[in-house]
Amino acid sequence: MTDDIYRIDKARARASFGRAAETYDAAAILQKQVREEMLGRLDLVKLNPQMILDAGCGTGLGSHALQRKYPASQVVSLDFAYPMLQQTRKTYSSIGALHLLKSLVGLTKQNLVCADIESLPISNSSVSLVWSNLAIQWCNDLDAALQQFHRVLQPEGLLMFSTFGPDTLRELRVATSAASGSDYTSVSRFIDMHDIGDALVRAGFNAPVLDVERFTLTYDDVKSVMRDLKSIGAHNATDGRARGLLGRGFFAKLEAEYEQFRQDGKLPATFEVVYGHAWRAKDKEALPDGAVPINFTRKKY
């Protein structure tokens, strides 16, 4: 729906992440934790991917980790913010230089693509593993994004992803809504795990598995919360956001409203992380025109 107040303004989101490219890694504590959890889950999967797509690669730390985990694979790092890809190039250069086996494990190879997840410029059935760490929440059409992942995956290829659930930044949502006293959106709308599972099935994925983990980051004050969000480019990019200053005294009201959540001297910021993985099923065998498969059932007498 084009009039949805929670629709992401992609130009604003792209600009925000572009500005945050150089400060992102220092502030992205949660993103690092989730990335390490996802890498650990790959240890439980028998996989030898020839090509990996890191969809929403950010500064490239996930791409680099995947390249080290699967040294024979070709990793494609994709992001819609070009400065993030520039930072990815620096990440490969600086971290790769620390490894004596750099030339052997392929860390010098870089495949950088500036594109939107909802419209991937990648060939059908060309990718063995699609990896996406905390990126699909910036899509306006989850079905379109998952269909794109399904399209580029090879038969029996794996999709592994993480995204934010509805409880994410609930304290900030409550506080800003009360402080503004308006119908402006303050925090993006995040999709429930069960709805994501339904969308995976609609996209054609087989046996999706999803689970949720909650993280709570703590801060001394609201300014620190906002500073961290700014450092990772997580600005409010919804169409229903306030387009100008919210008025004199808004931040003071925000601070006062946020105080209701203070515990043990700290202000919490809740993040609900949804983890998911699913396989693209093996393609059905094509039959000649007019042929109909016959299923035989053996009866016991």
Side-chain angles (χ1 to χ4, degrees), residues 212-227:
V212 169
E213 185 174 10
R214 286 177 173 80
F215 297 84
T216 302
L217 304 185
T218 56
Y219 299 87
D220 293 326
D221 49 47
V222 176
K223 287 182 180 178
S224 299
V225 178
M226 305 304 286
R227 188 182 304 117

Side-chain angles (χ1 to χ4, degrees), residues 82-258:
Y82 183 68
M84 284 291 189
L85 294 173
Q86 292 177 308
Q87 199 65 29
T88 295
R89 182 180 289 112
K90 294 178 183 178
T91 297
Y92 266 62
S93 298
S94 60
I95 297 180
L98 298 176
H99 302 285
L100 295 176
L101 297 179
K102 173 181 171 184
S103 60
L104 297 180
V105 299
L107 293 177
T108 54
K109 295 186 296 183
Q110 294 186 50
N111 302 283
L112 308 179
V113 179
C114 190
D116 194 315
I117 289 174
E118 294 178 63
S119 182
L120 296 174
I122 294 175
S123 300
N124 295 348
S125 305
S126 60
V127 177
S128 309
L129 168 64
V130 172
W131 159 288
S132 185
N133 180 22
L134 297 177
I136 62 174
Q137 67 272 7
W138 296 103
C139 293
N140 282 317
D141 189 338
L142 177 62
D143 283 286
L146 295 180
Q147 288 163 10
Q148 286 289 298
F149 290 161
H150 187 272
R151 178 183 64 79
V152 303
L153 272 173
Q154 298 168 345
E156 300 184 289
L158 175 65
L159 166 64
M160 177 168 282
F161 68 92
S162 61
T163 188
F164 288 128
D167 274 352
T168 298
L169 294 175
R170 61 182 180 83
E171 301 90 353
L172 182 61
R173 179 181 287 105
V174 171
T176 51
S177 178
S180 66
S182 69
D183 293 330
Y184 293 127
T185 57
S186 56
V187 177
S188 294
R189 178 178 56 196
F190 302 110
I191 301 176
D192 181 79
M193 176 182 71
H194 300 95
D195 293 329
I196 296 172
D198 291 341
L200 284 165
V201 173
R202 288 195 300 271
F205 283 99
N206 191 35
V209 177
L210 297 101
D211 63 284
V212 169
E213 185 174 10
R214 286 177 173 80
F215 297 84
T216 302
L217 304 185
T218 56
Y219 299 87
D220 293 326
D221 49 47
V222 176
K223 287 182 180 178
S224 299
V225 178
M226 305 304 286
R227 188 182 304 117
D228 261 12
L229 292 175
K230 181 179 180 181
S231 295
I232 62 172
H235 289 284
N236 180 8
T238 58
D239 278 348
R241 69 188 184 277
R243 300 305 174 112
L245 297 176
L246 285 173
R248 202 169 173 181
F250 166 75
F251 193 77
K253 292 179 182 178
L254 173 60
E255 288 181 307
E257 292 292 342
Y258 212 123

